[in-house]
Amino acid sequence: MNEQVFSLRMPVERSSCAVFNSPHSGRDYPAAFLESSRLDPLQIRSSEDAFVDELFARAPECGAPLLAARVPRAFLDLNRGPEDLDPALIDGAARRAVNPRIVAGLGVIPRVVAEGRPIIEGKLTLAEAEQRIAAHWHPYHAELATLVDGARARFGSAILFDCHSMPHDALATAPVVWGRRPDVILGDRFGAACDRWLIDAATEIFTAAGFVVARNAPFAGGYITQAYGRPRMGVHALQIEIDRALYMDEARVERLPCFEQIRGRIGAAVARLSELGPREMRVAAE
């Protein structure tokens, strides 16, 4: 079952304390799910972080594992908590304190994709929702936790890079950096998910690779960054958002001719990110 949930590429030799994670790049849509959907094949992919796992594919050759979802985000959002059930979609789900993501239809089982388009007619039963979470969410996060804990046990610390893409339109609310909208947004939940040295280093690395970088606006980090980032315990988590318009046609969900060039630049950044670790942590503490 796990091979239906995620793919895991391990390095020949694990020489980095980094773990690269792509929870929204899954594109294995169950046939029954597609048949039940109101959306056409392109619309249903609009919330997918298409090709992000390919952009960060250099991680294993740099000594770090790369975990990537196979299950698609429209089916199950691995960057939400398992308790984030949407009562508007799931019959029998308990109503909790107001959660803006759930209100927007973006719970652990999404009600909508991009532009608020409903995925299915009607509702799921609570039993159906719980079965989906048990079969997919829990195995994925068990593997991610194992990778992070393994890095900390082996190297004394772990760095989780949570890799995503963002619609170009989302940058309308992003801060202007050097007169331009950013290409990359790094999110550390305003300092809660990692020590300052890490986001500083990542900013420098992506800038050196030719990208304009902003921090925490409009994306500061989701469930994974919040749940795994425990800097006082030696686990640092940083979310990386890449502008989709840099490398893909968003409407067609197709790679642009410049895809390999962008992948090369991100690969160069991945190599340097993989070199970060205990030495930088010791220097920051001195």
Side-chain angles (χ1 to χ4, degrees), residues 166-186 206-207 210-219 241-246 265:
M166 53 190 170
H168 184 71
D169 289 349
L171 292 170
T173 59
V176 174
V177 181
W178 300 330
R180 288 180 51 192
R181 296 294 180 186
D183 305 311
V184 174
I185 296 177
L186 302 176
F206 277 104
T207 300
F211 299 103
V212 177
V213 182
R215 304 183 185 191
N216 288 313
F219 304 108
E241 294 271 2
I242 310 290
D243 179 8
R244 293 176 187 169
L246 290 175
R265 288 166 58 192

Side-chain angles (χ1 to χ4, degrees), residues 33-78:
F33 174 69
L34 291 176
E35 290 172 4
S36 69
S37 176
R38 301 172 54 174
L39 304 174
D40 66 39
L42 279 179
Q43 289 173 331
I44 206 166
R45 297 189 68 189
S46 60
S47 60
E48 179 185 311
D49 283 354
F51 317 123
V52 164
D53 53 337
E54 297 178 30
L55 293 176
F56 287 85
R58 193 176 172 188
E61 69 181 71
C62 299
L66 172 62
L67 181 68
R70 297 178 67 93
V71 58
R73 183 183 187 183
F75 182 76
L76 183 78
D77 193 336
L78 295 162

Side-chain angles (χ1 to χ4, degrees), residues 5-125:
V5 178
F6 59 78
S7 64
L8 174 61
R9 293 181 55 208
M10 293 294 294
V12 174
E13 179 183 357
R14 194 167 180 184
S15 58
S16 170
C17 71
V19 175
F20 289 82
N21 176 53
S22 179
H24 286 163
S25 57
R27 45 192 173 269
D28 292 353
Y29 291 83
F33 174 69
L34 291 176
E35 290 172 4
S36 69
S37 176
R38 301 172 54 174
L39 304 174
D40 66 39
L42 279 179
Q43 289 173 331
I44 206 166
R45 297 189 68 189
S46 60
S47 60
E48 179 185 311
D49 283 354
F51 317 123
V52 164
D53 53 337
E54 297 178 30
L55 293 176
F56 287 85
R58 193 176 172 188
E61 69 181 71
C62 299
L66 172 62
L67 181 68
R70 297 178 67 93
V71 58
R73 183 183 187 183
F75 182 76
L76 183 78
D77 193 336
L78 295 162
N79 199 25
R80 299 287 182 266
E83 72 285 352
D84 289 346
L85 299 174
D86 183 354
L89 175 68
I90 300 164
D91 192 21
R95 295 189 179 274
R96 301 175 180 270
V98 175
N99 180 320
R101 288 174 173 166
I102 293 177
V103 171
L106 300 174
V108 63
I109 299 179
R111 176 166 34 96
V112 301
V113 294
E115 300 178 5
R117 290 171 291 196
I119 296 171
I120 64 169
E121 296 277 4
K123 289 189 172 186
L124 300 175
T125 67

